[in-house]
Amino acid sequence: MIPRRPTERGRLNFFRCDGKRRVGVPVLLALFCGLGAHAALASPKDVAPTVIIISMDGVRHDAVGEEGLPGFARILAEGARARALVPVFPSSTFPNHVSLATGAPTDRHGIVGNRFRDRERGSFDYDNDASWIQAEPLWVAAERQGRRAATFYWVGSETAWRGVSPTYRRAPFSSDTPEGEKVRQILAWLDLPPERRPQLVMSWWHGSDHAAHRHGPESGPVRAALAGQDEALRGLLRGLDERAAWHSTTLYVVSDHGMTTATELVDPVAALSSAGVYAEVTYGMAVAHAFSEHEQVRARVLRIWNDLPGVVAYRQRELPAALRFTHPSRTGDVVALVSPPARFAPQSAWRRGAARVLSWFGSTVGAHGYDPAQVPDMGGIWLAMGRGIAPAQLAPAASVLDVAASAARLLGIEPPRHSEGRVRDAFAGGADATLLRTEEPR
């Protein structure tokens, strides 16, 4: 349920601000004086430290420095920016939103894809049930340590995690909710009395993900999508200005992953079917899992997938340790990784040919999910402004694991219990934050 601001009930006396009664003074004047008195009691210096984390889906690290984005430009001038925010593998929405919240890599928190199979529990399909998450989220860590939290469409926040929920949350998820509505709700939460207002607010925004998938990461529709995000961002900045909130508030703007161009389609299921091999397969754009109890089937899957263009397949036990992707019940017996410009997708001869023809005419689509160590385009954004953030900082690339730890420091709490992230001083008010190079972001 969304909390509503309290309203006065009953008859209001008419009075002047100097306390003398005056019959006929509009009720609005009475309310104005009352609000002024409340503001005097709760000045910005009295407000507890607050962190707002906005995640803009699919915004690539180099996408927000262009002209025509004054909201982003203001943060770049008045705050800090990482050269890139490096996602965990796979560089997809659900795994990385959970890593942003927990500070834990994929093999620890267990959300190995937007869709996956658990050998014991069954299928996960864009599920917002927190019981799938195996590491403590930041909003739970905050509540556990006496800080109220609020979430507006963050992966895994719609149900309690091991009995703990954010004090406020907006659910269920709807992709139709405009960013302006999210801004209004965030500001309404901040307008609550000090004893009720949240100190941590986390919200998912559309970003440029949808436009980049359909038209490519450097297309006109992506620029239009970012302009829309910038407009909403400016509304949030204005709201914080009007509330004189920056003394106590830090704003993070992050993204879960970047985007790259994909022109080739590879169908991991069709490759097995045409060879007469039957295994249970789940896959996303860049990762495919095959499950089988039979060693002969696993061996054949491994050979077939390794023969596909742009694909490297591994037995589960042979996956590179650096990926942090081996989960005992959710990683396939055989796992295939594909590299751009190829991506996994159902295909037919017609669809494959159409993709090639469109690429000849400069029409592209966007894809992600790839190993960020091999594909720098997977890097996202991390911008920060407000309390503890020195202006015009360009910081080194950071990991999505570092966001929760840095936010926790600003809130004066310990990071989530399973966090492996580092506190980044440029984003957490550290002693050496102002010693970083100050140069214009590119």
Side-chain angles (χ1 to χ4, degrees):
M1 179 180 293
I2 302 171
R4 297 185 181 275
R5 296 181 62 186
T7 57
E8 294 291 334
R9 296 186 181 273
R11 183 180 179 84
L12 289 173
N13 289 323
F14 295 149
F15 58 96
R16 298 192 316 204
C17 290
D18 59 11
K20 297 180 181 180
R21 293 178 60 83
R22 179 178 177 183
V23 177
V25 176
V27 174
L28 181 60
L29 179 58
L31 290 172
F32 175 81
C33 297
L35 288 172
H38 176 73
L41 292 173
S43 68
K45 293 183 179 181
D46 298 326
V47 176
T50 301
V51 176
I52 301 170
I53 304 177
I54 304 299
S55 173
M56 295 188 176
D57 205 313
V59 177
R60 201 167 73 182
H61 62 90
D62 58 354
V64 298
E66 298 185 7
E67 295 182 1
L69 300 174
F72 288 110
R74 178 181 171 186
I75 299 178
L76 295 178
E78 298 182 26
R81 172 191 186 180
R83 288 190 180 274
L85 187 62
V86 181
V88 296
F89 181 82
S91 48
S92 300
T93 296
F94 273 59
N96 277 279
H97 274 90
V98 176
S99 286
L100 283 164
T102 63
T106 310
D107 62 352
R108 182 62 189 81
H109 64 59
I111 305 302
V112 300
N114 296 340
R115 296 186 176 100
F116 58 85
R117 176 194 175 216
D118 185 294
R119 289 177 176 83
E120 299 174 358
R121 187 169 176 179
S123 296
F124 176 99
D125 190 355
Y126 289 88
D127 204 316
N128 273 306
D129 182 349
S131 67
W132 287 93
I133 299 174
Q134 298 176 339
E136 183 183 57
L138 181 59
W139 59 84
V140 175
E143 295 281 351
R144 175 171 56 81
Q145 298 176 74
R147 308 296 194 273
R148 290 178 181 82
T151 57
F152 197 131
Y153 296 174
W154 198 282
V155 172
S157 68
E158 293 192 9
T159 64
W161 187 84
R162 301 184 183 178
V164 181
S165 296
T167 299
Y168 308 107
R169 67 172 161 226
R170 179 68 177 269
F173 173 81
S174 171
S175 61
D176 294 330
T177 305
E179 261 63 271
E181 184 174 337
K182 298 169 189 175
V183 170
R184 289 188 292 273
Q185 178 62 85
I186 292 169
L187 295 175
W189 278 328
L190 298 185
D191 286 340
L192 290 170
E195 67 275 10
R196 293 174 53 201
R197 73 192 299 275
Q199 287 179 249
L200 172 68
V201 179
M202 302 176 69
S203 180
W204 173 89
W205 289 16
H206 291 83
S208 56
D209 186 78
H210 180 70
H213 277 306
R214 295 194 62 183
H215 303 283
E218 299 177 7
S219 62
V222 165
R223 289 188 288 274
L226 288 173
Q229 297 293 281
D230 187 85
E231 181 180 6
L233 181 61
R234 294 199 308 273
L236 179 59
L237 297 178
R238 284 194 302 271
L240 295 172
D241 289 341
E242 292 164 358
R243 288 158 177 79
W246 293 111
H247 178 87
S248 60
T249 303
T250 310
L251 173 65
Y252 284 176
V253 181
V254 300
S255 62
D256 50 350
H257 56 76
M259 193 78 64
T260 196
T261 299
T263 57
E264 299 291 330
L265 304 180
V266 176
D267 189 334
V269 175
L272 299 181
S273 298
S274 63
V277 176
Y278 300 97
E280 185 171 352
V281 176
T282 63
Y283 65 94
M285 282 177 283
V287 185
H289 302 254
F291 298 83
S292 177
E293 298 178 356
H294 305 289
E295 173 56 32
Q296 287 184 333
V297 173
R298 296 176 188 176
R300 292 189 67 189
V301 170
L302 186 69
R303 287 195 300 271
I304 292 167
W305 278 356
N306 269 319
D307 285 341
L308 295 174
V311 174
V312 178
Y314 303 89
R315 294 181 185 274
Q316 184 194 96
R317 64 178 180 271
E318 296 169 348
L319 277 165
L323 294 178
R324 296 296 303 273
F325 190 56
T326 304
H327 187 278
S329 63
R330 299 177 183 178
T331 304
D333 299 304
V334 180
V335 178
L337 314 182
V338 68
S339 298
R343 64 184 175 99
F344 288 133
Q347 65 167 285
S348 61
W350 179 90
R351 189 175 181 186
R352 184 171 58 250
R356 288 176 178 171
V357 170
L358 289 173
S359 68
W360 295 340
F361 287 94
S363 177
T364 62
V365 297
H368 56 87
Y370 307 102
D371 179 0
Q374 304 298 322
V375 186
D377 278 354
M378 295 300 97
I381 60 169
W382 187 2
L383 315 179
M385 175 179 167
R387 175 180 172 269
I389 309 299
Q393 293 187 84
L394 180 59
S399 166
V400 297
L401 305 182
D402 301 334
V403 172
S406 300
R409 176 193 271 184
L410 289 167
L411 291 170
I413 62 174
E414 292 297 315
R417 283 193 170 115
H418 307 99
S419 172
E420 299 182 20
R422 298 169 49 197
V423 173
R424 295 286 180 167
D425 285 329
F427 299 93
D432 62 344
T434 58
L435 301 181
L436 293 171
R437 290 183 63 193
T438 54
E439 57 182 275
E440 289 300 318
R442 294 181 295 175

mmCIF file of all heavy atoms in Angstrom, residues 396-427:
data_model
loop_
_atom_site.group_PDB
_atom_site.id
_atom_site.type_symbol
_atom_site.label_atom_id
_atom_site.label_comp_id
_atom_site.label_asym_id
_atom_site.label_seq_id
_atom_site.Cartn_x
_atom_site.Cartn_y
_atom_site.Cartn_z
ATOM 1 N N PRO A 396 37.331 6.219 -11.335
ATOM 2 C CA PRO A 396 37.587 5.006 -12.113
ATOM 3 C C PRO A 396 36.342 4.140 -12.220
ATOM 4 O O PRO A 396 35.363 4.314 -11.486
ATOM 5 C CB PRO A 396 38.679 4.294 -11.301
ATOM 6 C CG PRO A 396 39.273 5.342 -10.432
ATOM 7 C CD PRO A 396 38.176 6.309 -10.130
ATOM 8 N N ALA A 397 36.383 3.197 -13.139
ATOM 9 C CA ALA A 397 35.280 2.242 -13.270
ATOM 10 C C ALA A 397 35.078 1.515 -11.947
ATOM 11 O O ALA A 397 36.027 1.246 -11.205
ATOM 12 C CB ALA A 397 35.583 1.249 -14.389
ATOM 13 N N ALA A 398 33.824 1.203 -11.650
ATOM 14 C CA ALA A 398 33.464 0.519 -10.413
ATOM 15 C C ALA A 398 32.599 -0.681 -10.754
ATOM 16 O O ALA A 398 32.111 -0.828 -11.875
ATOM 17 C CB ALA A 398 32.734 1.466 -9.473
ATOM 18 N N SER A 399 32.398 -1.538 -9.766
ATOM 19 C CA SER A 399 31.550 -2.712 -9.936
ATOM 20 C C SER A 399 30.160 -2.435 -9.373
ATOM 21 O O SER A 399 30.010 -1.678 -8.409
ATOM 22 C CB SER A 399 32.171 -3.904 -9.201
ATOM 23 O OG SER A 399 31.232 -4.968 -9.075
ATOM 24 N N VAL A 400 29.163 -3.077 -9.943
ATOM 25 C CA VAL A 400 27.819 -2.964 -9.374
ATOM 26 C C VAL A 400 27.806 -3.444 -7.924
ATOM 27 O O VAL A 400 26.947 -3.025 -7.136
ATOM 28 C CB VAL A 400 26.769 -3.748 -10.189
ATOM 29 C CG1 VAL A 400 26.634 -3.200 -11.591
ATOM 30 C CG2 VAL A 400 27.074 -5.229 -10.220
ATOM 31 N N LEU A 401 28.749 -4.304 -7.548
ATOM 32 C CA LEU A 401 28.812 -4.772 -6.168
ATOM 33 C C LEU A 401 29.143 -3.649 -5.196
ATOM 34 O O LEU A 401 28.863 -3.762 -3.994
ATOM 35 C CB LEU A 401 29.861 -5.878 -6.028
ATOM 36 C CG LEU A 401 29.728 -7.102 -6.948
ATOM 37 C CD1 LEU A 401 30.830 -8.106 -6.634
ATOM 38 C CD2 LEU A 401 28.361 -7.749 -6.791
ATOM 39 N N ASP A 402 29.728 -2.553 -5.688
ATOM 40 C CA ASP A 402 30.178 -1.470 -4.816
ATOM 41 C C ASP A 402 29.062 -0.503 -4.436
ATOM 42 O O ASP A 402 29.225 0.299 -3.513
ATOM 43 C CB ASP A 402 31.295 -0.674 -5.502
ATOM 44 C CG ASP A 402 32.499 -1.536 -5.850
ATOM 45 O OD1 ASP A 402 32.699 -2.565 -5.176
ATOM 46 O OD2 ASP A 402 33.211 -1.187 -6.812
ATOM 47 N N VAL A 403 27.939 -0.550 -5.128
ATOM 48 C CA VAL A 403 26.886 0.440 -4.908
ATOM 49 C C VAL A 403 26.264 0.285 -3.523
ATOM 50 O O VAL A 403 26.098 1.258 -2.778
ATOM 51 C CB VAL A 403 25.827 0.350 -6.016
ATOM 52 C CG1 VAL A 403 24.629 1.246 -5.700
ATOM 53 C CG2 VAL A 403 26.435 0.742 -7.366
ATOM 54 N N ALA A 404 25.907 -0.942 -3.144
ATOM 55 C CA ALA A 404 25.259 -1.158 -1.849
ATOM 56 C C ALA A 404 26.178 -0.781 -0.702
ATOM 57 O O ALA A 404 25.749 -0.159 0.286
ATOM 58 C CB ALA A 404 24.800 -2.611 -1.724
ATOM 59 N N ALA A 405 27.452 -1.153 -0.786
ATOM 60 C CA ALA A 405 28.400 -0.833 0.287
ATOM 61 C C ALA A 405 28.581 0.672 0.429
ATOM 62 O O ALA A 405 28.660 1.199 1.544
ATOM 63 C CB ALA A 405 29.734 -1.519 0.019
ATOM 64 N N SER A 406 28.650 1.381 -0.692
ATOM 65 C CA SER A 406 28.835 2.832 -0.648
ATOM 66 C C SER A 406 27.600 3.524 -0.106
ATOM 67 O O SER A 406 27.700 4.469 0.696
ATOM 68 C CB SER A 406 29.177 3.348 -2.056
ATOM 69 O OG SER A 406 30.373 2.760 -2.538
ATOM 70 N N ALA A 407 26.419 3.073 -0.509
ATOM 71 C CA ALA A 407 25.185 3.647 0.021
ATOM 72 C C ALA A 407 25.065 3.388 1.520
ATOM 73 O O ALA A 407 24.611 4.252 2.285
ATOM 74 C CB ALA A 407 23.976 3.061 -0.709
ATOM 75 N N ALA A 408 25.484 2.207 1.953
ATOM 76 C CA ALA A 408 25.415 1.874 3.375
ATOM 77 C C ALA A 408 26.282 2.818 4.200
ATOM 78 O O ALA A 408 25.882 3.263 5.278
ATOM 79 C CB ALA A 408 25.842 0.423 3.591
ATOM 80 N N ARG A 409 27.467 3.144 3.675
ATOM 81 C CA ARG A 409 28.307 4.083 4.428
ATOM 82 C C ARG A 409 27.608 5.423 4.584
ATOM 83 O O ARG A 409 27.620 6.016 5.670
ATOM 84 C CB ARG A 409 29.663 4.278 3.755
ATOM 85 C CG ARG A 409 30.506 5.334 4.502
ATOM 86 C CD ARG A 409 31.713 5.782 3.719
ATOM 87 N NE ARG A 409 32.873 4.938 4.002
ATOM 88 C CZ ARG A 409 34.081 5.170 3.490
ATOM 89 N NH1 ARG A 409 34.268 6.184 2.657
ATOM 90 N NH2 ARG A 409 35.088 4.370 3.792
ATOM 91 N N LEU A 410 26.998 5.922 3.523
ATOM 92 C CA LEU A 410 26.290 7.205 3.609
ATOM 93 C C LEU A 410 25.158 7.156 4.629
ATOM 94 O O LEU A 410 24.857 8.153 5.283
ATOM 95 C CB LEU A 410 25.745 7.586 2.234
ATOM 96 C CG LEU A 410 26.780 8.006 1.188
ATOM 97 C CD1 LEU A 410 26.148 8.049 -0.193
ATOM 98 C CD2 LEU A 410 27.385 9.360 1.544
ATOM 99 N N LEU A 411 24.531 6.000 4.762
ATOM 100 C CA LEU A 411 23.434 5.849 5.714
ATOM 101 C C LEU A 411 23.933 5.582 7.134
ATOM 102 O O LEU A 411 23.136 5.561 8.080
ATOM 103 C CB LEU A 411 22.527 4.697 5.280
ATOM 104 C CG LEU A 411 21.707 4.926 4.006
ATOM 105 C CD1 LEU A 411 21.038 3.623 3.561
ATOM 106 C CD2 LEU A 411 20.663 6.021 4.230
ATOM 107 N N GLY A 412 25.223 5.332 7.287
ATOM 108 C CA GLY A 412 25.767 5.046 8.599
ATOM 109 C C GLY A 412 25.440 3.660 9.103
ATOM 110 O O GLY A 412 25.301 3.444 10.311
ATOM 111 N N ILE A 413 25.329 2.697 8.170
ATOM 112 C CA ILE A 413 25.018 1.319 8.544
ATOM 113 C C ILE A 413 26.051 0.380 7.933
ATOM 114 O O ILE A 413 26.839 0.778 7.070
ATOM 115 C CB ILE A 413 23.602 0.903 8.085
ATOM 116 C CG1 ILE A 413 23.493 0.966 6.556
ATOM 117 C CG2 ILE A 413 22.545 1.773 8.746
ATOM 118 C CD1 ILE A 413 22.176 0.447 6.003
ATOM 119 N N GLU A 414 26.018 -0.875 8.372
ATOM 120 C CA GLU A 414 26.844 -1.903 7.769
ATOM 121 C C GLU A 414 26.242 -2.330 6.431
ATOM 122 O O GLU A 414 25.019 -2.290 6.256
ATOM 123 C CB GLU A 414 26.956 -3.114 8.692
ATOM 124 C CG GLU A 414 27.734 -2.840 9.970
ATOM 125 C CD GLU A 414 29.180 -2.480 9.688
ATOM 126 O OE1 GLU A 414 29.799 -3.171 8.847
ATOM 127 O OE2 GLU A 414 29.685 -1.521 10.306
ATOM 128 N N PRO A 415 27.067 -2.763 5.474
ATOM 129 C CA PRO A 415 26.533 -3.244 4.192
ATOM 130 C C PRO A 415 25.681 -4.493 4.403
ATOM 131 O O PRO A 415 25.706 -5.110 5.474
ATOM 132 C CB PRO A 415 27.787 -3.567 3.380
ATOM 133 C CG PRO A 415 28.901 -2.873 4.066
ATOM 134 C CD PRO A 415 28.533 -2.804 5.513
ATOM 135 N N PRO A 416 24.914 -4.885 3.395
ATOM 136 C CA PRO A 416 24.174 -6.144 3.493
ATOM 137 C C PRO A 416 25.100 -7.297 3.875
ATOM 138 O O PRO A 416 26.285 -7.301 3.524
ATOM 139 C CB PRO A 416 23.603 -6.315 2.081
ATOM 140 C CG PRO A 416 23.487 -4.926 1.545
ATOM 141 C CD PRO A 416 24.662 -4.186 2.122
ATOM 142 N N ARG A 417 24.555 -8.278 4.555
ATOM 143 C CA ARG A 417 25.359 -9.327 5.176
ATOM 144 C C ARG A 417 26.237 -10.087 4.183
ATOM 145 O O ARG A 417 27.316 -10.546 4.534
ATOM 146 C CB ARG A 417 24.434 -10.317 5.893
ATOM 147 C CG ARG A 417 23.903 -9.784 7.224
ATOM 148 C CD ARG A 417 23.276 -10.894 8.028
ATOM 149 N NE ARG A 417 22.970 -10.457 9.381
ATOM 150 C CZ ARG A 417 21.736 -10.356 9.867
ATOM 151 N NH1 ARG A 417 20.697 -10.656 9.110
ATOM 152 N NH2 ARG A 417 21.543 -9.979 11.117
ATOM 153 N N HIS A 418 25.779 -10.247 2.942
ATOM 154 C CA HIS A 418 26.529 -11.050 1.983
ATOM 155 C C HIS A 418 27.285 -10.197 0.965
ATOM 156 O O HIS A 418 27.770 -10.719 -0.036
ATOM 157 C CB HIS A 418 25.584 -12.012 1.265
ATOM 158 C CG HIS A 418 24.757 -12.841 2.207
ATOM 159 N ND1 HIS A 418 23.453 -12.524 2.523
ATOM 160 C CD2 HIS A 418 25.062 -13.949 2.920
ATOM 161 C CE1 HIS A 418 22.982 -13.422 3.374
ATOM 162 N NE2 HIS A 418 23.931 -14.287 3.633
ATOM 163 N N SER A 419 27.382 -8.915 1.223
ATOM 164 C CA SER A 419 28.028 -8.000 0.284
ATOM 165 C C SER A 419 29.512 -8.313 0.144
ATOM 166 O O SER A 419 30.203 -8.570 1.129
ATOM 167 C CB SER A 419 27.853 -6.549 0.755
ATOM 168 O OG SER A 419 28.618 -5.667 -0.044
ATOM 169 N N GLU A 420 29.989 -8.279 -1.097
ATOM 170 C CA GLU A 420 31.416 -8.397 -1.394
ATOM 171 C C GLU A 420 31.958 -7.122 -2.016
ATOM 172 O O GLU A 420 33.092 -7.088 -2.501
ATOM 173 C CB GLU A 420 31.666 -9.591 -2.321
ATOM 174 C CG GLU A 420 31.251 -10.934 -1.734
ATOM 175 C CD GLU A 420 31.540 -12.105 -2.653
ATOM 176 O OE1 GLU A 420 32.387 -11.964 -3.560
ATOM 177 O OE2 GLU A 420 30.914 -13.168 -2.466
ATOM 178 N N GLY A 421 31.148 -6.067 -2.023
ATOM 179 C CA GLY A 421 31.536 -4.825 -2.676
ATOM 180 C C GLY A 421 32.466 -3.985 -1.824
ATOM 181 O O GLY A 421 32.587 -4.153 -0.612
ATOM 182 N N ARG A 422 33.132 -3.059 -2.492
ATOM 183 C CA ARG A 422 34.021 -2.086 -1.853
ATOM 184 C C ARG A 422 33.305 -0.757 -1.710
ATOM 185 O O ARG A 422 32.501 -0.379 -2.555
ATOM 186 C CB ARG A 422 35.287 -1.881 -2.691
ATOM 187 C CG ARG A 422 36.149 -3.099 -2.873
ATOM 188 C CD ARG A 422 37.207 -2.826 -3.942
ATOM 189 N NE ARG A 422 37.911 -1.563 -3.710
ATOM 190 C CZ ARG A 422 38.637 -0.934 -4.630
ATOM 191 N NH1 ARG A 422 38.721 -1.437 -5.863
ATOM 192 N NH2 ARG A 422 39.255 0.189 -4.350
ATOM 193 N N VAL A 423 33.611 -0.036 -0.646
ATOM 194 C CA VAL A 423 33.131 1.337 -0.511
ATOM 195 C C VAL A 423 33.960 2.223 -1.430
ATOM 196 O O VAL A 423 35.195 2.236 -1.347
ATOM 197 C CB VAL A 423 33.238 1.826 0.941
ATOM 198 C CG1 VAL A 423 32.884 3.310 1.029
ATOM 199 C CG2 VAL A 423 32.334 1.004 1.847
ATOM 200 N N ARG A 424 33.304 2.934 -2.307
ATOM 201 C CA ARG A 424 33.983 3.854 -3.225
ATOM 202 C C ARG A 424 33.891 5.260 -2.647
ATOM 203 O O ARG A 424 32.814 5.847 -2.565
ATOM 204 C CB ARG A 424 33.331 3.796 -4.604
ATOM 205 C CG ARG A 424 33.483 2.445 -5.286
ATOM 206 C CD ARG A 424 34.897 2.244 -5.788
ATOM 207 N NE ARG A 424 35.064 0.959 -6.454
ATOM 208 C CZ ARG A 424 36.113 0.638 -7.199
ATOM 209 N NH1 ARG A 424 37.081 1.519 -7.364
ATOM 210 N NH2 ARG A 424 36.198 -0.553 -7.758
ATOM 211 N N ASP A 425 35.033 5.809 -2.251
ATOM 212 C CA ASP A 425 35.035 7.090 -1.554
ATOM 213 C C ASP A 425 34.395 8.209 -2.358
ATOM 214 O O ASP A 425 33.728 9.090 -1.800
ATOM 215 C CB ASP A 425 36.468 7.488 -1.186
ATOM 216 C CG ASP A 425 37.000 6.683 -0.013
ATOM 217 O OD1 ASP A 425 36.198 6.293 0.848
ATOM 218 O OD2 ASP A 425 38.219 6.436 0.034
ATOM 219 N N ALA A 426 34.579 8.196 -3.666
ATOM 220 C CA ALA A 426 33.994 9.252 -4.492
ATOM 221 C C ALA A 426 32.479 9.271 -4.408
ATOM 222 O O ALA A 426 31.848 10.309 -4.647
ATOM 223 C CB ALA A 426 34.417 9.078 -5.953
ATOM 224 N N PHE A 427 31.883 8.136 -4.036
ATOM 225 C CA PHE A 427 30.429 8.012 -3.981
ATOM 226 C C PHE A 427 29.915 7.813 -2.560
ATOM 227 O O PHE A 427 28.742 7.527 -2.355
ATOM 228 C CB PHE A 427 29.981 6.828 -4.845
ATOM 229 C CG PHE A 427 30.350 6.983 -6.288
ATOM 230 C CD1 PHE A 427 31.528 6.454 -6.785
ATOM 231 C CD2 PHE A 427 29.537 7.691 -7.151
ATOM 232 C CE1 PHE A 427 31.875 6.611 -8.118
ATOM 233 C CE2 PHE A 427 29.878 7.868 -8.482
ATOM 234 C CZ PHE A 427 31.057 7.326 -8.969
#
